[in-house]
Every structure is written in structure tokens, then in C-alpha cells.
Amino acid sequence: MAEHVVRAGLPGVALPPGGFDGDAGRVLAPDLVRPDAAGPADDPAVERALLLEAQRIARMGSWTLDVRTGQAYLSEGLRSLCGLPARATLTDLLALVHPEDLPVLDDFQVALRARRSSQPLELEVRDDTGQRSYLVRARPEFESGGRVVRVHGTVQDFTRFRALERQLSQDGRLFREAQRVARLGTWEWNTVTGECLWSSMLYELFGVEAGSKITYRDYLQLVHPDDRSWVDQRWQELAGTRRPVECEHRVIRPDGKRRVFRVRGESAGTDSDRSIMIGTAQDVTEQRSTETRMQRSSKRFTDLVAITPVGIALFDDSERLVDANDALCSLLGLDLERLRGMTAEQLTHPDDREGRRGRESQSFHSGQRVLVTATGKPVYCELNATVSVADDGQRFWLVVFADVTDRRRAAERLRYQATHDELTGLPGRAAVKELLGKLLGGRDYERIALLFCDVDNFKRVNDSLGHDVGDELITALARRLERGLPPSCTVARMSGDEYVIICSDVEEAGGVEALANQVASLLRTAVPVRDQLLRVSACIGAAVPSGPETSGADLLRYADAAMFAAKARGTGRVSIASDKLIASANSQMLLEGQLREAIMNDQLVLHYQPVVGPDGTVLSAEALVRWPHPERGLLYPGDFLPVAEQGDLLGELDRWVLRAAFIEAAEWPQLCGGILGGGVGIAVNLAGLVPGDPEFVDVVSATVAATGIAWDRVVLELVETSLIDLPSRSREAMAELVERGVRFAVDDFGTGYSSLARLKELPAQIIKIDRRFVSGVATDASDFAVARALVDMARAMGRSCVAEGVENATQFHVLRGVGVDAYQGWLLSKPLPAKEFREILKLGPVHIPRGN
């Protein structure tokens, strides 16, 4: 039991192994406490009361343990301190000790047992909550034999003292950390002895070994030599006047590093010793370095603002100009003194100011603003604004003005060029769509009419007289239309020789038919161009909205379809879109959408017609596109190429044919002669993708690379007109492909204008004689003469000839007799699907029938 008591935390207990009996825990009567002396004033009750009051004030209590009997006494003050009842036992007291402090009690017991002195021992424990601390003192009392007979002790609540110690410790730690973070140390200077006391941080800041004896002279030796004299003077002033001193000086540390210190000092404030000065020293090297960089940066910024070509201004919170750079003064033609105090509204051009009235305030924000110069000229500016706050808290607006007047004008020119035809100055396709959308969205849409005009035989003018003459004719007709049409009509040029006339009030023009005839009359004329008179005419297609849902694109399609209907009847004709024609146009639009989808989803197929040599060897094959339409069956090019042309799909169609044909040809067996001794060539007829296009060479090269076909197996067929008058850049691109092995063929040669005269100029290696000459070569002397002339000229120029449309053996043998190099036509083979064409290749040379 005694061992248990010790472990429970009773301080000062040293018990024999036997412990004490069951009554050991009872509390002794208060009269066991005896006063040391008796007297009239020593009333025991009074003394007891004084003792209890003293214990209460000191927040402590006493206890005694008789080691022989095991009886313990707990004072009333102790019970009150620990919140124990009147009959509390020692066990109750020990139960209040924190479990983690029990090992400390064991050590305390051992120390008491071994003690041979009556000097007290101390122990600190916590209560079971761990929130309060108690200081326990114990003193053993010995009998004559040296054995401990009693233990006397006190318990004092040390919570407040420990909290104060912790606070002081924390304050000290925080103070040291604050010094470390602020790089600040403290010092004391005895002006009489010269001795100095430094904080540990100050030793560290000055680079001096901690604890070293420091005098005022030692400190001065650390001061930079250039600063030493005036620094000493300042500290002597402090010693003499005792008025606070603050200064900043440089220091050279023992390790050679240069630092900057800001030092403050004042008298310690004691009248008894006026020689003690105290203060702080802070290392401000980084701050001063940063300030220097900022000053330099600010100077550079000021210089940059001064020389930058962009206008910069500072406005106060009331949005009046405070400062501006030279660029803004120059931009507005005003000096700074005249600009100061002007508001945002005063700097804005009147037209822009009026446009902003009633909307936002006239203040400057990021965006666009039209400023006004001293002469009243508008200046278009892009603004970027930001708020800046000065050191005193005053808010400013920093605004950058970028002059975009030239850029705006350039953009307007670009917009004009994008919406207007460069040659005639008339509105272009984009402007037509914009105007139609605006008119058709209005209430008077029923009054609108659209006329589509196509000059007859304009291609003949370009081919025979040149493009310059054609351009002059187009411009002259544009001026004639502008002068001759009523104000409600807007003339536009779509492309080439096509004009569009938009009439906003067809009733004012006398009706759509009258207007169409008037336009036809204006375009049926003789135009003087370069000392010659050109007689021209045009076919006119007219259309009016079929309902409020009619769009601009619909109206253009209807008028375009009416124009094609007029052209089918001859030159100089007029046609007005009817319900039947509109239905046909809608059908064409539907077909166009289906064709677009068919190209995108690989729903087209290719047939291949062989091109054979004089001995029947298959040299190459022309890829001919077919469209297996889900409703109309297999469609031939004549059924859908016009739709592709109207829908601007020819380029996409050519790309699809190139890719599909090259993929197929790359797998053909190398069984026949082919081109340049290689495999069988593949010829693709191009209509939308022509050498004049910037991407022509890139598309061809990419397709060849992707499919893996040899360059020397590729033949690109183009109509004669696409190869005439090519710019030098396009010819160089073609030459690049030719150098790689590609061959160009002129399709339908002989049907254009001045073809023989221009044969020498055509950048092509193969001439394909048109079927119209081939069909009569055996029966018509003229056709025979043309064919023979073409062959002779081609041979003389190093080109080869291919005859198209060879239908019978007589034609074949006649053409072979004049020296044609290769033949294509139904006599030899009709166009075949890929699988059947492969079978043809496996059979070897094509059979040539005998002629009559």
C-alpha cells in the first residue's frame, strides 16, 4: 500500500515495505498542529485562522506523514486548494496527480529514502487535467538513529507562475525571432567606461563572435572609414545632450562584407546613472538595395514614358489630366500646360462625344476613343487604362493612348477591298450578301428584285484580245450600268463577267420585266476599247422573293438559274425565275448538298479508260468520276459537274479524285509499258484545282506522298484556258512538279481560240486532240488536216499527242498513219470499274481491229 501511495504521487514519502494499515488514510485531527510558543496573544484559533489565510493567499497547503504509523495530515488549506472534502484521505489526494507525472514521483521517493539531510526537496506535478501545476516541497525528519520518522511538506499552486514564465519565455522567443526577421539587434553603451553590451543578434549582424567584449571604439572600427567621423560626432551629441539620435551608416564586417545599418539611440532615462545609452541597430542593406533598384527603375520608367511614341497621360480621381508625355502632346498638338486640367470629355472629338452622350460617362477606360487635336482633326486611339494609388492614398488613372488612325484607315481600305471589286470599284459578293440580308429583313421585301447578268462570249474577248482588253470592257460596262439605272438600283460585280443588280423598289423601276429589259438594253452595246469597237450583249436572269422566308442566297440562286435558262436560249436573252425554275433551282441546291456529302463520305467511284500505244500497249488510264446516287442511280459528270461548279465544289471534287485515283493506281500490277518505262500511268482531269491556285503544288505533292505512287506515273489533264497567261510563279510551280516526273496534258486541244498560235506557250508535255477533230479525220479533209498539223507541230516542239474519242478502226489507223502517239476511245475500251480495269491490265496489250 505504501508503494502505491508513492507511485500515486505523494511527495516526500519514504515508507517501509510493510506499508500501513487500513486506517492509514484517515486524516489526523487539527489539534496535532501545535504552535511553537504560547502566550496571551497566541490564541490557537487566531493563529490557525492566520495560517489558513496565509495559505489561501499563497495558494498553498501543508501536509505531514508519520512514517511509523502511516497516518497523514492534510491541512484545511491543502484540501481547499485541491477541492477535497473534509474527510479526504491521502489516496484521494494522490488520485488528483496526472498519470504522466507518476514516474517522477517514483524518482522523488528514491531521493527521499536515500537522503541523509533535512534539507527540503522540490517536485513539480500537474493535476489530472494537465491544466494546473503544483510545486511540492518535502523535508524528512530523522530520529536519533538516522531513520526517517516523519515527512513534512507543502503543496503550492504554481500555475500562475508557470504561465508567467511561459509568457516571458514566449515573449523572449518572439523578441529574438522578431530581431532575427527584422535583422535588428539591441545595444547598451556606457559613455563613461566605453563598454558596450550587445544582444546576440547584434553580434550576428556585425559578424562578430558572440560574447566578445565590445567597446565603443570597437564599434567605431566597424564603421566604414568614410562614415566614421560624422557617426562618432552624432553619438557624442547623444552622450552630451541625451536627445534621441537616428542615423544610417555603412559597416565593414570582419569578413569583409559591406552592410548598411540604421541605428537609433537614446538615454536610458535613469536619473541615477546618466551615462547609460541604449538603442537598436538594424541591417537595412537589402531594403536600401531594393530602394536603389526601384529608384533606378522609376527613372528608367520616367525616361521610357518620355521617349515612347505612344501617348501616356495621368488623370486624377476627378478625371482631369495631371501629367502627359511628349508623345501625347505631339499627338494632340497641345503643350502640357494647356492639356493640364482638361477632362476626358474635352479631349474627345465632338462627333464621338455626341455618340457617347446618354450612355456611359465620358471617363477614359480601356477601349476605343476618338480624340480631337488642336486643329479639330479626329485621332482614333485605342486606350488601355489602369488605376494607380499614390503613397498618400490618392487614386490616379494611368491611360495609354495608341494612335490607330492609320491602322483604322487601312482596315477600312481592307474592308472596302473585301466588299468591293478591285477592278470596277463596284460592291462585291460580300457586300451583295450584306445588302440583300438587310433589304429582305425589312418590311418592303416584296419590292425587291435581283438581276443576274452574264456577258455573252466574254471568254472570246479574253482569249483573242487579252485580259487587259477584257478588264477595260468590264469596267466600261460597269460605268454604263451605274449611269443608266435608277437610284433604287445597286450594281455589283460577282466575278469575271457577271454583274448583279439589286433593286430595292422594283415598282419604281416599272416592274421586274421592264427593269430586266432595260439592263439587257444597256449591256447590248458597242464599247470602244483601244481604238476598236467591241459589240457585246448579255443574258439576264431576274428573280423576286417567293415569300418572307426567302434569303439572299435563295434569291441569288433563283436569279442565277434564270440567267442559265436565258443563256440556253441564245445570246442577249432575258429570263425571269418562275415557280418551275425555282423548284428546279431548289432541286439543284438539294443535289449540291448531296454531292457535298458524297465527297465527304467517299460515296463517289472512279472508272478507268485506258490510253494505249500504237501496238495496243496500255500506257496509262484516265480516271473518270461517277456518282452512284441513292435515288437517281449512277450519275455521269455531265449530270453533276454543273452543280459542283455552281456550289464551288470543283476544288473539293478534284482533291477527292486525285486521292482515290492515286491510291488505286499505286496497286496496279506492273505488267505494261507505262510512262517513261515505269508502271501504267494515271491521268486525272482537273477543273477546280488549277495551277493558278496558290495551293496547287502543295495539294498534288501531299497526295503523291500520302499514296506512295511514283511521280513519273502521274498525268494531270487541264483545259487549254487554265494553262494560258499563267503568272510566272504558277509556271515555276508547274516546272517543279515536272522536274519530279509529273506530266501535264492539254485536254480538248483545238477547241479554244488561237490554240495553234499559243501551242508553243503551253507548259504541257502531252496534247490531247479533241474528239471533234478525231470523229471526222477519216471522212473530212479539214479534220484530217488539222489532226496532221497538230501532230507535226507537237512533234516539232517535243510534245506527244493523244487522240480522244477513237470510235472505229478506220480512225485509229488514219491517226496512226499521221504519227499519233497514243489513243483513247470506245474502240479500245469503255471506262471500266477498278476491278475490271485490273483484269484488262493482266491480259496484256489491247486488241487493235483491222481497218477498212
Side-chain angles (χ1 to χ4, degrees), residues 724-798:
I724 295 177
D725 295 332
L726 284 175
S728 58
R729 184 173 58 84
S730 299
R731 289 177 176 266
E732 291 171 1
M734 291 179 65
E736 179 183 341
L737 292 178
V738 171
E739 186 175 349
R740 296 180 184 179
V742 173
R743 310 186 97 193
F744 288 92
V746 183
D747 197 21
D748 300 334
F749 187 79
T751 60
Y753 303 101
S754 304
S755 293
L756 295 179
R758 295 193 174 185
L759 177 61
K760 181 181 178 181
E761 303 174 7
L762 296 179
Q765 295 75 42
I766 301 172
I767 306 297
K768 297 190 76 173
I769 304 173
D770 188 75
R771 65 181 63 248
R772 280 174 284 186
F773 298 114
V774 171
S775 63
V777 73
T779 57
D780 189 310
S782 298
D783 288 347
F784 176 79
V786 169
R788 184 170 61 183
L790 288 175
V791 172
D792 290 343
M793 292 176 65
R795 183 177 292 112
M797 296 176 188

Side-chain angles (χ1 to χ4, degrees), residues 350-392:
D351 293 344
D352 193 24
R353 191 187 311 161
E354 189 65 29
R356 295 175 182 274
R357 203 173 299 281
R359 293 190 289 131
E360 60 183 34
S361 66
Q362 297 295 325
S363 60
F364 283 129
H365 297 287
S366 297
Q368 291 194 346
R369 179 68 66 105
V370 184
L371 304 185
V372 59
T373 66
T375 60
K377 178 183 175 182
V379 179
Y380 295 88
C381 291
E382 280 188 357
L383 276 58
N384 285 285
T386 185
V387 177
S388 178
V389 180
D391 294 338
D392 59 0

Side-chain angles (χ1 to χ4, degrees), residues 452-473:
F452 207 107
C453 315
D454 185 86
V455 178
D456 295 324
N457 298 321
F458 179 73
K459 180 175 179 295
R460 184 191 298 253
V461 175
N462 267 346
D463 291 344
S464 58
L465 301 179
H467 287 278
D468 291 341
V469 174
D471 289 347
E472 290 185 30
L473 175 60

